[in-house]
Amino acid sequence: MQLPCSEELNIEYLGRLFDNTSECYKFFWFKAIVAKVTEGKQEISYEELVDEMIADAWYMVTEYHLNLGPKDTLEAVVNLIKQKYPELKSCEKRQQFWIC
């Protein structure tokens, strides 16, 4: 993937992230980072990123049973949450989604 040049960041490493896209978690991870940066966050915890990734994957996995890849654990986490909390619907709104 060819990304624009930057004097502040080593863009080559970011571009290489998408060299092998057999696992969908990379797209959810990148989308989560972009969402948090767009919100104005300069520091993002691992938990925040994972929460964002799960929320983004929720509908696709629970409603359409999308397979995110042969070794992708994001799909497994969504299915585990769905199994543990069956009252959560596939169309659950993000604000109501998290039980904790």
Side-chain angles (χ1 to χ4, degrees):
M1 171 181 266
Q2 185 66 32
L3 295 173
C5 295
S6 171
E7 293 184 22
E8 298 175 22
L9 298 171
N10 189 338
I11 299 297
E12 179 182 336
Y13 291 123
L14 182 60
R16 297 210 53 219
L17 168 72
F18 299 107
D19 284 352
N20 180 355
T21 56
S22 63
E23 306 297 329
C24 289
Y25 79 89
K26 293 178 179 184
F27 296 107
F28 288 101
W29 175 80
F30 187 69
K31 185 176 182 289
I33 290 173
V34 170
K36 293 298 179 184
V37 169
T38 302
E39 290 173 8
K41 297 202 88 165
Q42 293 186 10
E43 290 186 23
I44 308 165
S45 72
Y46 177 77
E47 185 176 306
E48 286 177 287
L49 287 179
V50 171
D51 289 349
E52 189 79 19
M53 291 168 65
I54 292 169
D56 284 340
W58 179 261
Y59 185 75
M60 289 181 251
V61 172
T62 60
E63 182 68 19
Y64 294 110
H65 309 287
L66 180 70
N67 184 324
L68 300 181
K71 297 180 184 177
D72 200 315
T73 57
L74 180 57
E75 178 185 353
V77 169
V78 169
N79 286 326
L80 179 67
I81 293 169
K82 179 70 175 163
Q83 182 180 15
K84 188 169 182 171
Y85 301 101
E87 65 275 8
L88 291 174
K89 306 295 181 220
S90 60
C91 59
E92 203 73 48
K93 293 186 178 173
R94 288 177 72 99
Q95 296 86 344
Q96 300 168 331
F97 185 74
W98 300 112
I99 295 172
C100 30

